[in-house]
């Protein structure tokens, strides 16, 4: 039995193509092979704040904050993933990031460069 890869699907963002990114990520979420991957949904709102959780799509579509928590990227190379900014500072490990960001600050390599640095 193989271990499933934890893939962070990052979408939304601060560009004018924010809404297109949400639609693209939604399509990926419906199509991802759940036998091989555990999807972790990472929503970036229009102000640039990052959130994780099963309510990530609702956060960006309906402004609902249910089932999400604000997160930050771990800067520790030994701990690849995200850290919850809530009271417990829970660590969310990931194996790979799937950026689904469109427009500036997304398709231009900004996010990929940031991820490479950490």
């Amino acid at each position: 039995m193989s271990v499933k890869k934890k893939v962070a699907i990052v979408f939304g963002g601060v560009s004018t193509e924010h809404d297109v990114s949400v639609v693209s990520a939604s399509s990926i979420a419906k199509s991802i092979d759940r036998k091989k991957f555990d999807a972790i949904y990472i929503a970036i709102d229009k102000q640039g704040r990052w959130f994780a959780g099963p309510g990530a799509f609702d956060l960006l579509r309906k402004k609902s904050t249910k089932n999400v928590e604000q997160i930050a990227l771990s800067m520790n190379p030994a701990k690849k993933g995200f850290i919850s900014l809530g009271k417990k500072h829970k660590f969310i490990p990931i194996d790979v990031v799937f950026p689904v960001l469109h427009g500036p600050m997304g398709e231009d390599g900004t996010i990929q460069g940031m991820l490479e640095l950490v």
Side-chain angles (χ1 to χ4, degrees), residues 53-107:
F57 287 101
D58 287 339
L59 171 77
L60 298 185
R61 289 183 182 139
K62 304 173 191 171
K63 308 295 185 225
S64 170
T65 57
K66 292 181 182 178
N67 298 315
V68 293
E69 54 189 328
Q70 194 166 359
I71 60 166
L73 188 60
S74 170
M75 300 307 231
N76 181 346
K79 288 191 156 203
K80 295 179 188 314
F82 298 91
I83 299 167
S84 160
L85 298 179
K87 291 181 182 178
K88 296 184 181 180
H89 296 290
K90 178 179 78 175
F91 178 66
I92 304 165
I94 58 162
D95 296 308
V96 66
V97 175
F98 190 155
V100 190
L101 299 163
H102 298 293
M105 305 285 283
E107 288 175 321

Side-chain angles (χ1 to χ4, degrees), residues 3 6 11 14 16 19 46-47 57 62 77 84 98 107 110 118:
V3 177
K6 293 184 187 310
F11 60 97
V14 298
T16 57
D19 295 333
K46 291 181 180 180
Q47 289 74 42
F57 287 101
K62 304 173 191 171
S84 160
F98 190 155
E107 288 175 321
T110 303
V118 297

Side-chain angles (χ1 to χ4, degrees), residues 1-19:
M1 186 168 130
S2 64
V3 177
K4 290 193 227 181
K5 294 275 186 189
K6 293 184 187 310
V7 58
I9 299 173
V10 181
F11 60 97
V14 298
S15 86
T16 57
E17 296 192 45
H18 173 97
D19 295 333

